[in-house]
Amino acid sequence: MKSPKETPIRKPQINFGLEEEEKDIFEQVAKARGNIGVSALIRLLVMDEARRLGIVK
C-alpha cells in the first residue's frame, strides 16, 4: 500500500514592502555580489551583520 501523501513542510518566510527604486537597488547589489537572488543577498547580509555583532560565529 502507498502511504498517504504528506504535506510538504514550508520554510518560514518574511515579507516586506519595497518601493520600486529600493527593489532595483536590491537587485543591482545582488547581481554585483555574484548574480545571486535577492533572497540569498538578504540572508548573506543578515548573517554578515550577525557575525559582526557577535551573535553567531
Side-chain angles (χ1 to χ4, degrees):
M1 288 185 119
K2 292 183 179 179
S3 62
K5 292 187 178 183
E6 295 181 21
T7 305
I9 298 173
R10 294 185 65 186
K11 293 182 179 180
Q13 295 182 354
I14 298 174
N15 296 309
F16 54 94
L18 293 173
E19 298 294 328
E20 190 66 33
E21 182 178 295
E22 295 169 321
K23 181 179 176 279
D24 292 342
I25 293 170
F26 274 54
E27 289 172 345
Q28 289 174 19
V29 172
K31 186 176 180 181
R33 291 271 310 236
N35 206 22
I36 59 176
V38 173
S39 296
L41 171 67
I42 293 169
R43 284 192 301 272
L44 284 171
L45 294 174
V46 169
M47 290 305 294
D48 287 348
E49 185 67 3
R51 281 189 289 275
R52 187 184 76 77
L53 296 170
I55 297 170
V56 296
K57 293 182 181 186

